[in-house]
Amino acid sequence: MSNNQNSTVALESAGAFLWVVDLDDLEMTYSTNFDNLFGYRSESILKKGGIGVLMVPEDIDLMMEKLEQCRAGESSRLLIDFRLRRSDGGICWCRSVGSVREPHEGKRELAGITYDISMEKQKELEIGEMRDRFELIAQNTSDGILVIKGKTIEFASKSYLGQLGYPEEEEIGRTSEAVANLIHPEDRHVIGEIFEAIGRKEKTLIYLYRAQRKDGSYIWREDLANFFYDENGDYYQSIVVARDVTFRVETTKKLEEAKEKAEEVARHFMTTNRKNGHRISTRPAQD
């Protein structure tokens, strides 16, 4: 097998083809494996006006804009994603990468490679749909949702912003060190608990602490942190569900205080009656 044949086979297996555009008349020539990749015969495409007729109409203007920039000398490189129609009617996402060259004096052309990125675009679409669903859920729950990528806040739901009173532009990009500074000094032991949990590769952790609002006041927060690790076991992300439990904590505290006070009163009553020589009977009175 010749070197050219080897190159053609390699390009086909990679879902790619080579091309050259004459920048004087914008005529395009391309490697023969284009036919096998998209199911067309080169001759029929050339008669119809070239590969441009296969492009999805919405992408043509951007492609022409990029080519004109190279033609006018405004750019020496081309990088563009676009869609092509296959012979079976399917749509293929492609990425073209090229650079301007001068094979001889007075001749300028744009040469490069185009390859199939349909799987990449499909993954982007799936990730985008998952992100949209996540944001829909996050924005419609009373609990605050926080996404920390590495050591930086990447997403904060409206409920989360409402808990502490900071605008989105102040929360997004806040570092984990800055988040730690919002924890009440007496509760900062939770920081160590979080790092210990990540060190043990735990997936979740629940912790209770006081968080400082923008106005300087504190609320009680109960956070459920979900930790994520890559294929090497290295931590890379947290998704935190943050709940304002101030009412619950303060109510529980008041009940405990009331119980302690009632027990103190009872002890005082018993002690006073013993000192006065009174006997307290628990038997019912007899008629």
Side-chain angles (χ1 to χ4, degrees):
M1 186 179 290
S2 67
N3 289 336
N4 285 340
Q5 289 175 319
N6 285 333
S7 298
T8 299
V9 171
L11 285 169
E12 283 185 6
S13 60
F17 66 93
L18 300 175
W19 47 263
V20 177
V21 176
D22 188 322
L23 291 177
D24 290 331
D25 53 20
L26 295 184
E27 285 191 4
M28 181 180 188
T29 56
Y30 42 89
S31 55
T32 55
N33 58 308
F34 171 85
D35 304 359
N36 296 331
L37 290 171
F38 297 95
Y40 294 99
R41 293 184 59 188
S42 301
E43 297 82 2
S44 64
I45 296 302
L46 289 172
K47 287 179 181 178
K48 291 179 180 179
I51 292 178
V53 299
L54 305 180
M55 291 183 63
V56 172
E58 292 83 359
D59 298 340
I60 293 176
D61 288 344
L62 180 58
M63 175 64 82
M64 292 306 300
E65 179 184 336
K66 296 285 187 180
L67 290 174
E68 286 296 341
Q69 288 174 354
C70 292
R71 189 179 192 182
E74 298 173 3
S75 176
S76 61
R77 293 187 59 80
L78 173 76
L79 174 60
I80 184 173
D81 295 349
F82 60 96
R83 290 160 290 179
L84 284 180
R85 285 190 296 271
R86 300 180 186 275
S87 61
D88 61 6
I91 299 295
C92 172
W93 269 101
C94 299
R95 177 170 294 151
S96 284
V97 181
S99 58
V100 176
R101 65 184 185 184
E102 294 185 14
H104 52 79
E105 188 176 353
K107 180 72 172 179
R108 295 174 67 249
E109 58 188 26
L110 182 65
I113 186 171
T114 294
Y115 50 95
D116 189 340
I117 59 168
S118 299
M119 290 185 65
E120 177 184 327
K121 287 294 184 179
Q122 181 61 33
K123 287 181 180 178
E124 288 180 4
L125 179 62
E126 291 173 357
I127 291 172
E129 290 175 347
M130 289 175 62
R131 185 183 296 112
D132 290 343
R133 287 196 293 270
F134 171 77
E135 291 191 2
L136 180 63
I137 294 170
Q139 301 294 13
N140 288 278
T141 179
S142 58
D143 290 339
I145 305 293
L146 193 68
V147 177
I148 303 175
K149 199 72 171 287
K151 294 184 177 181
T152 306
I153 294 178
E154 189 178 72
F155 171 83
S157 69
K158 291 180 180 177
S159 297
Y160 182 89
L161 297 174
Q163 284 181 7
L164 298 183
Y166 291 94
E168 186 175 20
E169 56 268 22
E170 288 189 40
E171 284 291 359
I172 304 303
R174 192 195 294 274
T175 64
S176 54
E177 290 83 1
V179 172
N181 288 333
L182 298 180
I183 297 176
H184 193 285
E186 295 177 2
D187 301 332
R188 289 181 183 170
H189 57 85
V190 300
I191 301 171
E193 294 173 10
I194 293 170
F195 282 110
E196 288 174 5
I198 292 174
R200 293 191 299 268
K201 308 300 181 188
E202 294 187 12
K203 293 183 178 180
T204 60
L205 179 69
I206 298 176
Y207 45 96
L208 182 69
Y209 65 101
R210 284 162 288 182
Q212 188 176 39
R213 289 176 48 82
K214 187 176 177 65
D215 62 10
S217 62
Y218 283 91
I219 62 169
W220 279 98
R221 276 253 301 266
E222 184 178 69
D223 288 3
L224 168 61
N226 300 269
F227 306 121
F228 297 85
Y229 308 87
D230 61 21
E231 60 275 9
N232 297 318
D234 296 326
Y235 164 80
Y236 73 91
Q237 178 177 272
S238 296
I239 297 180
V240 180
V241 180
R243 178 170 294 179
D244 183 345
V245 293
T246 305
F247 178 78
R248 188 188 79 190
V249 171
E250 292 184 348
T251 300
T252 301
K253 184 179 179 181
K254 288 177 181 178
L255 287 173
E256 289 176 350
E257 290 174 349
K259 181 182 177 182
E260 290 177 1
K261 188 174 182 179
E263 290 175 348
E264 183 181 346
V265 170
R267 286 194 297 270
H268 177 73
F269 178 76
M270 295 288 288
T271 301
T272 302
N273 278 280
R274 286 197 190 99
K275 286 181 178 179
N276 294 332
H278 295 297
R279 219 175 140 188
I280 301 174
S281 175
T282 57
R283 293 181 181 179
Q286 299 291 327
D287 293 332

